[in-house]
């Protein structure tokens, strides 16, 4: 186990540097005139341009800029946004609402997906199973850029069931509609994986043995089958958590939630490269750590799994 953790940590380091390099390269290649984009239609004097260019190393080569960035990142300094604000301070303000939104979305998605997936597998071929499969196809076909404004218009503005926007100090109720929209990104996939896994395990030899011993159907399903079936689902949930963090860019922008995704979307619009790379780098770290924790949970879910 110790060697496995060390090996995974080394892989995480390589993945982190590779991901930040790609993000930095894409941001660098996409920049036209970030200073003018930030200023909008207001003119920038030559002295201001020179000062900002030197301050943010915009006159340096790509590799030099990347070196300056990684040097600051490894010392805990995320840098300064083109607006003059510290990126670490902006992240501290934006982070709580995004974490709350992502956790609420993953809890809703996992609860619905696992419950419906297990019941669909038990009633395989029935009405509920067929309706569920059709519903998941519809959800998978609906991109979040369509689903989010549609949900906001219908349930937030027309019907007034939910607040159409949310603030930094939003309650769970204020974030419920955005969380449902965000959770729709993963709920269909998790439900289908749960159903397939449960169906396969219901046909396993250990299930027939458990029933032959006289165990009730409920105990066989909820104690034995579900535990083995959750292994691929837990893997998917861990990956989905990172996906929800990135998917929050669209959701937070539409619902005007001042979180990490909202700041990244605004930074992309204004070509604020340091802010984009700083926030994305933190998301990469979270994604890698969550996936490591998910891998370590395998042994707890299935004692047959051991890491060499």
């Amino acid at each position: 186990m110790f060697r496995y953790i060390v090996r995974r940590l080394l892989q995480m380091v390589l993945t982190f540097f590779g991901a930040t390099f790609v993000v930095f390269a894409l941001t660098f290649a996409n920049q036209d005139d970030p200073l003018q984009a930030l200023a909008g239609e207001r003119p920038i004097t030559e002295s201001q341009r020179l000062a900002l260019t030197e301050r943010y190393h915009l006159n340096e080569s790509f590799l030099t800029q990347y070196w300056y960035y990684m040097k600051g990142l490894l010392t805990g300094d995320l840098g300064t946004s083109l607006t003059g604000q510290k990126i670490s301070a902006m992240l501290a303000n934006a982070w709580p609402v995004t974490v709350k939104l992502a956790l609420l979305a993953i809890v809703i998605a996992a609860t619905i997906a696992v419950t419906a997936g297990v019941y669909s597998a038990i009633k395989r071929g029935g009405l509920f199973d067929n309706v569920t499969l059709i519903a998941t196809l519809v959800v998978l076909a609906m991109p979040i850029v369509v689903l989010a404004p549609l949900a906001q218009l219908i349930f937030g503005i027309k019907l007034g069931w939910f607040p159409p926007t949310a603030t930094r100090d939003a309650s769970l109720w204020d974030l419920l509609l955005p969380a449902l929209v965000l959770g729709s990104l993963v709920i269909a996939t998790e439900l289908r994986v749960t159903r397939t896994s449960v169906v396969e395990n219901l046909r396993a030899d250990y299930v027939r043995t458990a029933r032959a011993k006289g165990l009730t159907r409920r105990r066989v399903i909820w104690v034995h089958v579900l535990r083995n079936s959750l292994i691929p689902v837990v893997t998917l949930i861990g990956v989905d958590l990172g996906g929800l963090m990135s998917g929050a860019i669209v959701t937070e922008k539409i619902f005007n939630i001042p979180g990490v995704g909202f700041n990244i979307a605004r930074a992309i619009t204004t070509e604020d490269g340091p802010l984009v790379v700083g926030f994305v780098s933190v998301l990469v770290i979270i994604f890698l750590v969550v996936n490591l924790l998910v891998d370590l949970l395998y042994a707890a879910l299935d004692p047959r799994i051991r890491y060499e």
Side-chain angles (χ1 to χ4, degrees), residues 30-45:
N30 189 48
Q31 283 186 340
D32 182 20
D33 188 355
L35 300 179
Q36 189 61 57
L38 186 66
E41 297 181 356
R42 294 175 298 175
I44 301 179
T45 64

Side-chain angles (χ1 to χ4, degrees), residues 24 37 53 71 103 128 150 152 164 177 180 190 198 216 238 298:
F24 197 91
T53 299
K71 182 181 178 181
L103 290 178
F128 181 83
L150 197 61
Q152 184 187 48
L177 182 59
L180 287 170
E190 291 179 4
V198 172
T216 62
Y298 285 173

Side-chain angles (χ1 to χ4, degrees), residues 87-132:
I87 295 178
S88 56
M90 298 176 68
L91 183 64
N93 290 330
W95 193 248
V97 67
T98 296
V99 171
K100 190 188 299 184
L101 175 62
L103 290 178
L104 182 59
I106 200 69
V107 168
I108 292 173
T111 303
I112 296 176
V114 171
T115 305
V118 171
Y119 190 76
S120 181
I122 296 173
K123 302 294 183 180
R124 184 166 57 96
L127 178 62
F128 181 83
D129 185 32
N130 292 325
V131 171
T132 301

